[in-house]
Amino acid sequence: MVNSNHGASDEPERASLTRRQWLALGGSATMAGLAGCGGSNPDDPDVTMSGTPDDASGSNGKNGTPVTTELHMRAPVSWQPSKANINPFTDTKNTEFWMDNMWWESLVWPNAKGEPMYFLADEINIKGSGCEVEIKLNDEYTWWDGTPVTAQDFRTAAVISDYKASYGPENTDDSWEVADKHTIKHHLAGPANPSLQKTASPYYTVPAKHDYFKSWLDKYEDAGGQSAVEKVTKELTSTTITLNDLTEKGLGCGLWKPKQLSPTNAVHEKYEDHPRADWTNLKTFNWHLISEKQKAIQALNAGQLDMGDKTINQAKSNGNVDVFNQFGTSSIVKLAMNWNNEHLARRPVRRAIAYLMDHDELVKVIKSTQGLNYKPRDTVTGMSASTGNQWTSKSFQNKLIDYGRTSKPEKAKQVLKDAGYTKDGDVWAGPDGSRVEGLTYLTPPWTIYETIGKYLSPKLKEFGFGNELIIPSSSGFWKRWTDTHDFDMVNWFSKTSHPASAYSTVSVAGLGKFDEVVNVTEPSGDCSVDRRTPDLSRSRSKKLNQPIRPKFPKNVGQTGNGGAKQTLYPVKWGNIMSQTQSTKEVKDLTKKLMWYTNWQVPHIGFYDETRVYWGNQNKFDFPTGDDTGHSEKAKNEHFTNAIEFLLKGHVSAKTK
């Protein structure tokens, strides 16, 4: 769902903020909120997890001869391997954000439910009061030239990133220490919430082979002054590293090595010295470059594709493949609204849209066009149903304003009339006579998001909210979404596996992007939860023009403006949720933030996301999500992307 230069967040990479700024927004634990990742069990007291599964996943072929040693998949649309720059530090990658995990191994990665999947890391231990994180690496991983992957490789990646983002580690408030060959310590300025820290985004970073990148580290360390550091950064980020370089120079450490590249196919071979090599009996992975959907369907019908997650309807009606895994996630897809528009800045207009939405009908449309069963939403909460149920009670949720799963046009009309709106012909007009028309409704060029836009846009027009649906190119979308903010409404998504993610203040994938208006203050230095109320340079966000400290009712469920009020402190509360060791404190703040979202309606969730994967089960064994006999850590890896099933050794051929 992202283009080559953007990850799972709506904002640029964290290099755009200094580490000091990140810490002012909740420390490294808050970084997990940006990517929408965190522990999914609020009562989990365990702060130490091992990454070594108790067994291998899938059939590894030891009991027979595999019926095939090759697997065929469709590659990301429009990806061109001959033009791929694999430099981990470049700002102009032309690969999907997750493709780093094709050729390298991250320390840890969150699955679709926010649970940790351990790869290069074997253990992540939170020490003392929470300001030291000890990361023990699995000592069986090697680079493709046979040399071991070490803690020094990871520290090199982290320190180069510090120079690139903050002009050097001395300008950051955390630090990285190599304790021994396979142990690295991450020293934090503030405590880490154990559930969040298990999947904190600094640990998604892939290692940089020290022997290769040491020269760049030396250049940084020899540079004198900011301009000299910028010069090194420019040189580093403009350097191209190709897929061939990865293989020839031994710069990769993943399970699959690029072997042969062509305009139509990227062939990979298994790296036999990978610690998971014996998890799968496959030898070759063929990644077919098929840009057009119709051609992909033709390839599927011709039996040329063995596994995938698109064209679900065609897969279900195809005799060669069948669905092997489907599961709910913590993600919601939503409509975010730009408060720079005079009408969308008014709560009654946003509420009218919430009442107008027919979630039951929308999921039926998506099922008929995409073959996906999504769970409709009951009301506006800012969280998926599963995560909301973990952190708040049903009795609390029942007090919230009920916008409904089905359309309530009369309710929508009433809230508008109560706010002074009248119908001017076919269009609503505000109290000052300004007509609600010409709204720009932006959606990224992703199939399901386009389906949502084509469904909702005419519904809004029919109701009296004139709008134009805009579906630009991928690059055109990102420019409008991140740079110009030239839209009134946009289809987006939010990962809500933890309240600090759902109500993140560093991304409109959460509550809102408020970091740019926070005046950064020094960390307290005593490893205590940051409970300070930050100073703001302005009262509204630069993106979407949202108020940062509005008043909202104390009485949960009231629709009017009367009664006792409370003030929203989103950054302060986000810091606390990211750092506290108290489950009760997180639950208490979650209720405040859920009620505020329900009352204010900064965005409207469409549905709770479900992932569905299909494959040729006559030839292959796939993870089903309910496998028995596997360790919990291996099961965690069954709730992730289809490509990761293959990358991490979970797919094997049947044997004979």
Side-chain angles (χ1 to χ4, degrees), residues 198-218:
K198 293 174 185 177
T199 50
S201 61
Y203 308 152
Y204 307 165
T205 305
V206 296
K209 190 176 182 182
H210 179 71
D211 289 348
Y212 182 84
F213 285 98
K214 182 179 182 300
S215 61
W216 291 105
L217 195 55
D218 291 342

Side-chain angles (χ1 to χ4, degrees), residues 565-638:
K565 298 289 195 303
Q566 58 186 322
T567 302
L568 183 77
Y569 294 100
V571 176
K572 175 182 177 178
W573 295 347
N575 288 349
I576 293 171
M577 289 194 300
S578 297
Q579 297 178 351
T580 184
Q581 312 292 300
S582 167
T583 296
K584 180 181 182 303
E585 190 167 27
V586 176
K587 287 185 174 181
D588 289 344
L589 290 173
T590 299
K591 288 192 290 185
K592 286 180 177 290
L593 288 159
M594 181 180 285
W595 162 229
Y596 170 78
T597 302
N598 175 258
W599 179 80
Q600 187 73 281
V601 194
H603 48 74
I604 302 167
F606 293 127
Y607 54 80
D608 287 7
E609 193 175 46
T610 300
R611 299 213 180 143
V612 181
Y613 303 110
W614 51 262
N616 185 336
Q617 297 183 71
N618 293 321
K619 293 173 62 177
F620 300 94
D621 288 322
F622 300 102
T624 64
D626 58 358
D627 297 339
T628 59
H630 293 147
S631 70
E632 286 303 313
K633 298 173 189 66
K635 286 181 181 179
N636 280 359
E637 297 179 22
H638 296 172

